[in-house]
């Protein structure tokens, strides 16, 4: 079974530029998550999708971050404009469904904002 | 209330030793406590999880101990091996919210 795919793996941008990350979850997984992991910290949930719909985006900085999940499969996370403090690893995870299904994480995209 | 506090930040143990990582929480609504293992350049992977209706759960060399009254839980790794060297995260969630709240992580090094 293929795992969660993410691209790109690394991205370096200047502050105030925009950037987008892509995630392809495990086939058949209804729930998709985006996490931000700052160096030395645990992952923090940014947004959770159940199929096409948003379940939780309470910790998403909506003035600069946006996310969508097309047709309930792939998802993109965008930052516009980026700030220095956005430097982090962005992890995508997916799970089969509610409740309490194991979350499977992708390898992440490491973002450096200069 | 939503925090999970994890300690220590880093831990070095000799091969065969038993590293212990501790976590504490405040939110009594938490009812699911997983541990994740993360290797450099990889995403976290579920290692073992426990619910508050049991005090201990064992899977292979990994054991979770859970103390509901103290609102604490811990991970023990028996007969630790150099391949166990990784960062370990505890987490917690409620059935309703589904959102995992992670601890700060413990970087574990097992020396040969």
């Amino acid at each position: 079974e293929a795992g969660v795919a993410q691209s790109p793996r690394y991205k370096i941008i200047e502050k105030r530029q925009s950037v987008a990350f892509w995630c392809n979850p495990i086939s058949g997984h209804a729930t998709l998550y985006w996490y931000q992991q700052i160096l030395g910290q645990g992952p923090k949930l940014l947004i959770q999708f159940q199929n096409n719909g948003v379940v939780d985006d309470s910790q998403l900085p909506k003035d600069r971050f946006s996310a969508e999940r097309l047709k309930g499969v792939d998802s993109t996370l965008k930052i516009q404009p980026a700030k220095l403090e956005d430097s982090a690893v962005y992890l995508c995870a997916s799970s089969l469904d509610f409740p309490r299904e194991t979350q499977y994480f992708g390898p992440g995209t490491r973002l450096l904002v200069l | 209330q939503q925090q999970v506090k994890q300690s220590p930040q880093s831990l070095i143990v000799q091969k065969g030793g038993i590293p212990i990582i501790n976590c504490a929480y405040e939110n009594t609504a938490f009812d699911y406590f997983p541990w994740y293992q993360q290797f450099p350049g990889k995403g976290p992977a579920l290692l073992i999880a426990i619910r508050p209706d049991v005090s201990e759960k064992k899977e292979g060399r990994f054991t979770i101990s859970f103390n509901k009254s103290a609102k604490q839980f811990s991970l023990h790794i028996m007969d630790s091996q150099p391949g166990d060297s990784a960062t370990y995260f505890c987490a917690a969630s409620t059935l309703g919210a589904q959102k995992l709240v992670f601890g700060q992580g413990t970087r574990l090094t097992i020396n040969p």
Side-chain angles (χ1 to χ4, degrees):
Chain A
E1 176 181 82
V4 176
Q6 290 188 246
S7 68
R9 291 297 311 275
Y10 305 93
K11 191 75 177 179
I12 300 174
I13 61 172
E14 302 277 337
K15 61 182 178 182
R16 291 188 289 273
Q17 285 186 324
S18 62
V19 64
F21 313 127
W22 173 83
C23 172
N24 181 234
I26 293 172
S27 177
H29 280 196
T31 309
L32 185 146
Y33 313 79
W34 282 102
Y35 288 87
Q36 181 191 58
Q37 185 175 22
I38 292 173
L39 187 64
Q41 298 183 18
K44 182 184 82 171
L45 181 70
L46 292 175
I47 189 167
Q48 177 182 342
F49 292 94
Q50 175 75 5
N51 295 309
N52 288 347
V54 175
V55 174
D56 186 340
D57 64 356
S58 58
Q59 297 189 98
L60 187 73
K62 298 180 187 64
D63 57 335
R64 298 184 300 106
F65 286 64
S66 64
E68 61 180 2
R69 189 177 185 193
L70 304 172
K71 300 179 182 177
V73 182
D74 292 7
S75 177
T76 56
L77 176 70
K78 296 179 183 177
I79 308 175
Q80 182 179 17
K83 292 185 175 181
L84 297 177
E85 59 260 36
D86 298 331
S87 294
V89 175
Y90 292 85
L91 294 163
C92 179
S94 69
S95 64
L96 194 56
D97 207 339
F98 287 144
R100 206 72 79 207
E101 290 289 341
T102 299
Q103 294 185 28
Y104 296 88
F105 284 81
T109 296
R110 186 175 296 274
L111 173 68
L112 180 60
V113 182
L114 301 175
Chain B
Q1 266 256 324
Q2 286 297 315
Q3 281 187 326
V4 177
K5 294 182 180 178
Q6 184 172 346
S7 63
Q9 280 190 305
S10 64
L11 184 58
I12 300 174
V13 172
Q14 288 300 116
K15 177 183 172 182
I18 305 176
I20 301 172
I21 304 170
N22 300 298
C23 285
Y25 64 96
E26 289 295 323
N27 187 351
T28 55
F30 284 148
D31 60 358
Y32 176 66
F33 303 90
W35 284 88
Y36 281 79
Q37 180 188 55
Q38 186 175 28
F39 293 104
K42 306 287 187 182
L46 180 67
L47 195 59
I48 185 173
I50 197 168
R51 298 187 188 178
D53 52 346
V54 297
S55 60
E56 185 176 281
K57 183 173 181 180
K58 191 175 294 187
E59 286 186 5
R61 297 184 293 108
F62 301 91
T63 300
I64 300 179
S65 297
F66 186 82
N67 186 330
K68 189 174 181 177
S69 60
K71 292 184 283 186
Q72 295 175 348
F73 58 109
S74 60
L75 176 71
H76 301 230
I77 306 175
M78 308 302 288
D79 187 28
S80 57
Q81 302 295 314
D84 297 328
S85 297
T87 300
Y88 291 81
F89 293 96
C90 61
S93 74
T94 62
L95 180 60
Q98 282 293 309
K99 178 168 66 180
L100 280 175
V101 178
F102 283 86
Q104 297 284 84
T106 296
R107 178 173 287 187
L108 174 65
T109 302
I110 307 296
N111 285 331

